[in-house]
Amino acid sequence: MRGEQTPRLREALENDIVSGRLRPGQRLDEVGLAARFGVSRTPIREALIQLSASGLIEIRPRRGAFVVLLGPRELLESFELMAELEAACARLAAQRMGACDRAALAEAHAACGAAVEAGDACAYYPANAAFHAAIYAATGNRVIHGEALRLQRALQPYRRLQLNVPRRMEASFAEHEAIMVALCAGDGIVAAERARTHVLVQGERFMALLAALQAETEALAEAG
């Protein structure tokens, strides 16, 4: 029974992290989590160990488990790597995507558009993730698909924070549109460059992300 509980708990906690319900830097209390899910602390601890292996949380000796909070340099370097992976995926997808891939991409793009129209950042975020996942899947390369998904999930709490920047959601959707045009035209070079630029955090955007992250950290400190 306990072995069956662990994957369910890990998935629930992972969803809480990537959805923003558990924020970067937040401590995960085993007792509170066990009470919330109605289980003992052992499967909670096992789920946290698995999340630690995926890079979403950090387990600190004698202090407990915390949602990973990247420093400025590591954050920038991680986004640089994500940008290169996205570019590679876009280049391959432009060459290989089929009718089903196009349909999945169009569906995710339409969902993003509906969220922008409604001004709903909470709805935009999962649609945005689905848009990028559709590009990864269209590569036809299981290794790069898996690596892109892994890093995307590790960076999701931070990518979500970017949506707090004024007009970022609208800009993101316009960037998606440009990427989609290049993909549908089969232009891998342009698709790759647009995907890279879309993800890469630089200049004012990076400073805005750091400001949003600092605000989250201060909110956690006040709540604690």
Side-chain angles (χ1 to χ4, degrees), residues 13 32 54 58-59 68 83 124 155 166 176 189 199 206:
L13 291 172
S54 72
E58 177 185 4
I59 297 177
V68 166
Y124 184 84
L155 287 177
H176 282 186
I189 294 175
V199 175
F206 184 61

Side-chain angles (χ1 to χ4, degrees), residues 7-45:
R8 175 178 63 86
L9 295 170
R10 183 196 66 242
E11 182 176 354
L13 291 172
E14 184 177 62
N15 287 338
D16 280 353
I17 293 170
V18 299
S19 69
R21 287 188 291 271
L22 293 172
R23 295 172 292 178
Q26 185 170 345
R27 184 177 183 276
L28 304 178
D29 176 55
E30 289 185 12
V31 175
L33 291 173
R36 170 188 165 189
F37 291 106
V39 298
S40 70
R41 292 177 63 180
T42 299
I44 292 291
R45 189 174 298 115

